[in-house]
Amino acid sequence: MFTLAEVASLNDIQPTYRILKPWWDVFMDYLAVVMLMVAIFAGTMQLTKDQVVCLPVLPSPANSKAHTPSGNADVTTEVPKMETATHRDQNGQTTNDVAFGTSAVTTPEVPLQATHSHAESTFPSQEAKKEKKDPTGRKTNLDFQQYVFINQMCYHLALPWYSKYFPYLALIHTIILMVSSNFWFKYPKTCSKVEHFVSILGKCFESPWTTKALSETACEDSEENKQRLTGAQTLPKHVSTSSDEGSPSASTPMINKTGFKFSAEKPVIEVPGMTILDKKDGEQAKALFEKVRKFRAHVEDSDLIYKLYVVQTLIKTAKFIFILCYTANFVNAISFEHVCKPKVEHLTGYEVFECTHNMAYMLKKLLISYISIICVYGFICLYTLFWLFRIPLKEYSFEKVREESSFSDIPDVKNDFAFLLHMVDQYDQLYSKRFGVFLSEVSENKLREISLNHEWTFEKLRQHVSRNAQDKQELHLFMLSGVPDAVFDLTDLDVLKLELIPEAKIPAKISQMTNLQELHLCHCPAKVEQTAFSFLRDHLRCLHVKFTDVAEIPAWVYLLKNLRELYLIGNLNSENNKMIGLESLRELRHLKILHVKSNLTKVPSNITDVAPHLTKLVIHNDGTKLLVLNSLKKMMNVAELELQNCELERIPHAIFSLSNLQELDLKSNNIRTIEEIISFQHLKRLTCLKLWHNKIVAIPPSITHVKNLESLYFSNNKLESLPAAVFSLQKLRCLDVSYNNISTIPIEIGLLQNLQHLHITGNKVDILPKQLFKCVKLRTLNLGQNCIASLPEKVGQLSQLTQLELKGNCLDRLPAQLGQCRMLKKSGLVVEDQLFDTLPLEVKEALNQDVNVPFANGI
């Protein structure tokens, strides 16, 4: 046997799950326990006391005759035929059993005492002997074992099957109902979700952040709350969240500390007891926001919990109808008396037996009670079905919470998430209200803001301020949840960099930062208040925006009318690469420099909005081929143009229309030939031409027509020689042909009397012509990684030389004439240590004079 506790455990659930048990489920659980007790009580009574007692149905006699054991008196009856059987009773005494013929009519209910009474009236002489006679009845020929046999036979044959198996059926039905009631808590695919939901819900309910968020919400609407408090005093009672006034759980101490009181209509606030969250509570609240977000995404995808609850309710309803239909027919079948015909006449001598069932009355009462409980249970199941289909339980709205709080962004939920919240509302609606705080982005942002300001104080921010290369005070904030308020107290800050701060907000306090002129937004779509925008519009001069998608560029960026420099780094193309997502730049009336690093296939037409005043345009592509350059023709005032990594194969013809162009940089393209260079003669102001990092194999002689060139960069190409036309550019001050395949330096190089910087590093030069040292204005001479075997003594003529690179050649000594280069110091001489040691001592001492003097090496 099993105990009641063991069976009742089937109906047991974890205490934390009780918030998902509405009143009807709780009531049905209690009814199931009562049915279980009825079944077990009936089963116990049946096992211990249930029995059937049977007597044979004797033939009815016409007359009967009684004999006493001593034979002193004879009892005469009018019986046609009578047989007397003598046997010993249980005490060993001999008794006479009277058997009547089968032809007589039997009346079992008539005792033999009637015969005695008639005898007394007939024979008054026997009254004195009456008291001495033993009581007698109608005798049978059955012994004890035959009675036991008949009782057992008739128990199985005469009793209705329901009388014998009612306790077991009731027990089985009750167990099925119990399992059906709590199956959704046990089913593997739903129990994990339910367990996770209950765990998160409990933590959200007890979180200090929930209390603080609702407190601040109520304080923001203090006037309205005062009016409601005045009206609420007339109400008969209030609902309090304290544990002795209807708290859902005794394990919610935070509710008791906050002083929250809720009237019948809207929450009314007392003085909040918390102003600042400690770090631990803040981190726990952040983790809860993330858990709620992931749980919502996981649970909203399906409605399995809802369907399972509906199915188990339908099963219980069908079970109720089934039990009621077949049980009601057996109520009248339970009777105290039964007629039994076991067909064992050959063993007992009797064919019919009259039997009594001693548990009949008790079973009938228990069955009626069981049916009554089942009816109540069934009506509750019907009500549950009505509730399930009356409203759409797969949708849940936080409209009431949004109206009562400042968190108007709490989203409505659906599917299993909505159903679980509906179930919780049947327990206590306060749970859903407090849970909604963790669904609000406004609430999450407010938490981040409080935690951020608590962590990043003014002193800590001051420690992170540094000086950049331009000697400006700079603050770089990286991967924070927001912008700390203390940042705007750094009034002497020049540059502010915000990187990977998705929820950055710039408040009106930024107007205190009067020195701020440069702002960096790296993957940071910052939002600004109106006052802050007015300040930025008038004071901001340089803005860097780095983004993944063009939609991340804040709209206010296009309205900064006093902006001088704009740097855009990110994807400007739409999905089909047919249009540029950049908005109009018309309002940027003072923009001078525009730097775009993207994957453009054409120059954005929006750039023409700033064409009249734009002086520098930089386009750095990621390797995407720049096909359409017609918009460049409108950049009449552009002085500097950079088109880097644009997969250009020729110099674009649109460039030749830029009459004010002074510097052209076509770095990292696929340019192989530059025959178009002759067209640069029309660009009278062009002074700097950078064609480095391409695939140019030769410089055309027509370069001599670009007479105003001062800087020429051909490094990292495939040049094998330098044409004499290059050395006809008398204004040339810088020539860079590093990392090519040049083997000879033409003697015409001596014609470049204004040459100050010559870079021939990484070539195949083996001899330095003497004419090279006629360029007496040389300051930088880089000859490293060549095949030079000796350095001519005429190097001493370069009196203005400050940097000389010779490392990576075939030199075995250095000429002593290096000492005549008065501007050259050891920091500017790049050679192997053993070569430096070949110099005379006085030369080394002269070169070492700057050892203790700070000097910026220009290499």
Side-chain angles (χ1 to χ4, degrees):
M1 285 295 292
F2 41 79
T3 64
L4 177 62
E6 292 173 338
V7 178
S9 65
L10 296 172
N11 198 39
D12 190 24
I13 58 172
Q14 297 184 19
T16 53
Y17 286 4
R18 298 192 186 281
I19 59 176
L20 294 176
K21 300 281 285 186
W23 68 265
W24 53 82
D25 277 353
V26 175
F27 196 35
M28 283 192 287
D29 286 345
Y30 282 118
L31 289 177
V33 171
V34 174
M35 287 188 287
L36 183 67
M37 295 176 64
V38 169
I40 294 179
F41 175 73
T44 303
M45 295 293 293
Q46 191 175 48
L47 290 174
T48 56
K49 296 185 179 182
D50 191 28
Q51 62 181 349
V52 171
V53 177
C54 299
L55 291 176
V57 177
L58 303 177
S60 299
N63 297 302
S64 62
K65 181 177 181 180
H67 300 276
T68 61
S70 61
N72 296 334
D74 294 333
V75 179
T76 305
T77 59
E78 298 180 7
V79 180
K81 297 180 180 181
M82 179 177 69
E83 297 178 356
T84 303
T86 304
H87 63 88
R88 294 184 179 274
D89 59 8
Q90 295 179 356
N91 297 325
Q93 296 180 352
T94 302
T95 58
N96 295 328
D97 293 338
V98 181
F100 296 91
T102 57
S103 61
V105 178
T106 303
T107 307
E109 291 81 0
V110 180
L112 293 179
Q113 293 294 337
T115 305
H116 293 291
S117 299
H118 180 73
E120 288 175 1
S121 62
T122 308
F123 305 101
S125 61
Q126 295 182 358
E127 289 182 355
K129 297 180 180 180
K130 179 180 179 181
E131 295 179 357
K132 297 180 182 180
K133 291 181 180 180
D134 295 332
T136 59
R138 300 187 66 180
K139 303 297 183 180
T140 67
N141 292 325
L142 302 178
D143 58 15
F144 176 75
Q145 291 182 349
Q146 288 176 314
Y147 276 114
V148 172
F149 173 75
I150 292 300
N151 290 346
Q152 293 180 353
M153 286 290 295
C154 290
Y155 181 83
H156 292 286
L157 296 177
L159 289 186
W161 68 271
Y162 196 75
S163 297
K164 294 178 288 184
Y165 301 114
F166 159 69
Y168 310 109
L169 290 175
L171 180 61
I172 293 172
H173 293 324
T174 303
I175 292 175
I176 292 175
L177 292 175
M178 286 181 171
V179 171
S180 299
S181 293
N182 299 296
F183 185 70
W184 67 306
F185 292 128
K186 309 291 185 181
Y187 186 59
K189 291 185 177 181
T190 58
C191 70
S192 59
K193 294 181 180 179
V194 171
E195 182 178 357
H196 197 187
F197 174 75
V198 172
S199 174
I200 293 176
L201 186 64
K203 292 177 181 179
C204 292
F205 191 89
E206 298 178 3
S207 173
W209 170 245
T210 312
T211 303
K212 178 173 177 57
L214 294 177
S215 300
E216 291 184 352
T217 296
C219 290
E220 290 174 358
D221 198 15
S222 58
E223 292 299 326
E224 181 180 354
N225 286 337
K226 289 179 181 179
Q227 296 175 2
R228 293 187 180 277
L229 182 60
T230 304
Q233 293 175 354
T234 61
L235 296 175
K237 68 174 183 178
H238 297 273
V239 180
S240 173
T241 58
S242 60
S243 57
D244 55 350
E245 294 184 13
S247 175
S249 167
S251 62
T252 56
M254 295 305 303
I255 305 302
N256 298 334
K257 296 179 181 179
T258 58
F260 269 51
K261 300 279 184 177
F262 290 89
S263 69
E265 297 179 356
K266 190 171 181 179
V268 179
I269 277 295
E270 293 183 355
V271 179
M274 183 184 303
T275 57
I276 297 179
L277 292 176
D278 58 33
K279 185 175 181 180
K280 181 179 179 181
D281 292 337
E283 293 299 324
Q284 289 177 348
K286 290 179 183 177
L288 276 178
F289 273 106
E290 186 64 25
K291 287 182 179 180
V292 170
R293 188 181 299 109
K294 291 182 178 179
F295 178 78
R296 180 189 173 192
H298 176 60
V299 176
E300 273 194 319
D301 290 340
S302 67
D303 56 353
L304 179 61
I305 298 177
Y306 171 76
K307 289 180 178 178
L308 189 60
Y309 189 83
V310 172
V311 169
Q312 73 178 29
T313 305
L314 289 173
I315 291 175
K316 289 189 292 184
T317 306
K319 191 73 176 174
F320 145 71
I321 296 174
F322 172 72
I323 294 173
L324 190 63
C325 289
Y326 87 86
T327 304
N329 295 330
F330 294 105
V331 175
N332 295 328
I334 299 178
S335 175
F336 181 76
E337 296 180 357
H338 298 278
V339 176
C340 179
K341 297 179 180 180
K343 296 182 181 181
V344 291
E345 186 177 1
H346 62 286
L347 297 177
T348 61
Y350 298 97
E351 181 179 0
V352 181
F353 294 84
E354 285 280 346
C355 303
T356 60
H357 184 201
N358 66 330
M359 287 293 297
Y361 179 78
M362 179 65 71
L363 285 177
K364 193 167 186 177
K365 296 298 182 183
L366 290 176
L367 180 58
I368 294 174
S369 301
Y370 182 74
I371 293 176
S372 302
I373 297 172
I374 282 292
C375 289
V376 177
Y377 193 96
F379 287 132
I380 296 177
C381 289
L382 294 175
Y383 174 81
T384 305
L385 289 176
F386 169 75
W387 179 78
L388 285 172
F389 298 110
R390 179 175 60 90
I391 58 176
L393 296 181
K394 292 197 291 184
E395 298 176 1
Y396 188 91
S397 174
F398 284 95
E399 182 178 358
K400 185 176 180 181
V401 180
R402 290 193 292 263
E403 291 176 353
E404 294 179 351
S405 67
S406 62
F407 305 130
S408 58
D409 66 323
I410 300 178
D412 295 337
V413 295
K414 59 183 180 179
N415 289 336
D416 282 344
F417 200 4
F419 176 69
L420 290 173
L421 290 173
H422 279 294
M423 296 294 283
V424 169
D425 279 351
Q426 300 303 314
Y427 185 84
D428 192 339
Q429 293 184 354
L430 185 60
Y431 276 93
S432 297
K433 179 174 183 178
R434 298 178 72 88
F435 188 75
V437 172
F438 287 89
L439 290 171
S440 169
E441 291 186 5
V442 174
S443 173
E444 185 176 6
N445 293 338
K446 188 175 292 186
L447 170 65
R448 289 174 179 173
E449 180 182 345
I450 293 175
S451 301
L452 186 68
N453 292 329
H454 185 62
E455 179 182 0
W456 289 86
T457 60
F458 178 83
E459 292 75 13
K460 184 176 180 178
L461 289 169
R462 175 60 70 181
Q463 295 174 0
H464 285 73
V465 176
S466 60
R467 290 275 180 181
N468 61 13
Q470 290 77 31
D471 197 32
K472 294 181 179 180
Q473 292 197 57
E474 178 182 298
L475 176 63
H476 186 188
L477 299 179
F478 178 72
M479 290 187 69
L480 298 182
S481 58
V483 183
D485 290 342
V487 168
F488 307 106
D489 295 327
L490 301 171
T491 55
D492 55 347
L493 202 63
D494 299 310
V495 181
L496 177 60
K497 292 185 177 181
L498 305 177
E499 183 172 1
L500 292 175
I501 305 179
E503 300 296 333
K505 293 182 179 179
I506 301 178
K509 286 181 64 178
I510 197 173
S511 57
Q512 302 175 177
M513 306 174 70
T514 54
N515 290 341
L516 184 66
Q517 293 188 352
E518 185 174 341
L519 178 63
H520 293 247
L521 301 176
C522 301
H523 300 286
C524 180
K527 300 178 181 178
V528 298
E529 296 181 3
Q530 183 61 37
T531 305
F533 168 72
S534 300
F535 172 80
L536 293 175
R537 181 188 58 194
D538 297 334
H539 292 80
L540 197 63
R541 297 294 180 264
C542 180
L543 176 63
H544 295 249
V545 182
K546 189 175 182 179
F547 50 89
T548 302
D549 186 81
V550 67
E552 296 177 16
I553 302 177
W556 52 268
V557 169
Y558 303 102
L559 303 175
L560 300 174
K561 63 180 182 180
N562 286 327
L563 196 66
R564 301 290 191 273
E565 302 177 24
L566 177 60
Y567 296 80
L568 301 176
I569 304 174
N571 181 17
L572 287 175
N573 276 343
S574 60
E575 293 182 0
N576 55 14
N577 284 338
K578 292 184 178 180
M579 60 177 293
I580 307 300
L582 199 63
E583 294 186 19
S584 174
L585 305 176
R586 190 175 296 107
E587 295 297 326
L588 306 181
R589 302 185 184 93
H590 296 88
L591 190 65
K592 300 296 183 183
I593 299 175
L594 178 59
H595 187 292
V596 179
K597 187 175 182 180
S598 183
N599 55 345
L600 299 176
T601 57
K602 62 180 181 179
V603 177
S605 58
N606 311 68
I607 293 180
T608 58
D609 295 334
V610 292
H613 41 80
L614 196 66
T615 60
K616 182 177 181 179
L617 175 62
V618 180
I619 297 179
H620 285 195
N621 258 12
D622 60 356
T624 304
K625 191 170 185 178
L626 190 61
L627 299 174
V628 183
L629 297 162
N630 294 332
S631 298
L632 290 178
K633 296 180 180 180
K634 300 179 181 180
M635 304 289 166
M636 301 305 297
N637 292 321
V638 168
E640 298 181 37
L641 176 62
E642 293 184 20
L643 302 176
Q644 297 188 17
N645 204 18
C646 297
E647 293 295 315
L648 298 177
E649 296 179 358
R650 306 290 291 265
I651 298 176
H653 290 276
I655 295 177
F656 303 137
S657 302
L658 305 179
S659 57
N660 289 314
L661 190 64
Q662 298 178 16
E663 181 177 332
L664 175 62
D665 188 349
L666 300 178
K667 181 181 178 181
S668 299
N669 285 283
N670 289 327
I671 300 176
R672 299 176 183 272
T673 177
I674 53 174
E675 295 298 333
E676 304 90 347
I677 201 169
I678 190 174
S679 299
F680 284 135
Q681 63 181 326
H682 304 295
L683 304 182
K684 302 299 183 181
R685 297 187 179 184
L686 185 63
T687 59
C688 181
L689 179 59
K690 296 181 179 180
L691 298 174
W692 46 356
H693 295 269
N694 280 281
K695 299 178 181 179
I696 301 172
V697 296
I699 301 176
S702 56
I703 195 173
T704 186
H705 298 291
V706 193
K707 298 183 179 298
N708 293 322
L709 279 179
E710 297 179 1
S711 300
L712 192 58
Y713 294 82
F714 279 97
S715 64
N716 295 89
N717 277 281
K718 297 182 179 181
L719 298 177
E720 295 182 357
S721 63
L722 292 176
V726 173
F727 306 107
S728 64
L729 302 174
Q730 296 297 320
K731 295 183 179 181
L732 200 63
R733 295 189 302 170
C734 178
L735 176 61
D736 185 357
V737 289
S738 303
Y739 301 101
N740 281 278
N741 297 319
I742 299 172
S743 58
T744 304
I745 300 177
I747 59 175
E748 289 84 0
I749 194 171
L751 301 175
L752 300 178
Q753 293 299 309
N754 291 315
L755 191 63
Q756 298 180 9
H757 306 279
L758 177 61
H759 306 272
I760 315 181
T761 303
N763 282 277
K764 300 178 181 179
V765 177
D766 55 355
I767 298 176
L768 297 177
K770 296 180 180 180
Q771 289 80 2
L772 172 63
F773 303 103
K774 293 182 179 181
C775 302
V776 294
K777 294 183 179 181
L778 273 177
R779 296 182 180 181
T780 303
L781 180 58
N782 292 335
L783 303 171
Q785 301 179 36
N786 278 279
C787 303
I788 302 172
S790 64
L791 183 64
E793 296 179 353
K794 291 188 176 182
V795 69
Q797 298 177 7
L798 305 179
S799 59
Q800 298 186 25
L801 193 65
T802 59
Q803 179 172 322
L804 175 62
E805 181 190 4
L806 297 170
K807 194 172 185 178
N809 282 281
C810 302
L811 298 170
D812 54 1
R813 68 181 183 85
L814 295 176
Q817 284 74 12
L818 280 178
Q820 299 176 12
C821 302
R822 301 300 180 184
M823 302 294 294
L824 183 64
K825 302 300 179 184
K826 185 178 180 180
S827 59
L829 179 60
V830 183
V831 295
E832 290 82 355
D833 292 339
Q834 63 270 22
L835 282 179
F836 183 77
D837 292 337
T838 62
L839 290 172
L841 180 61
E842 61 274 10
V843 176
K844 290 194 292 186
E845 290 179 354
L847 293 174
N848 283 327
Q849 288 180 1
D850 67 329
V851 171
N852 297 323
V853 180
F855 185 83
N857 194 340
I859 299 176

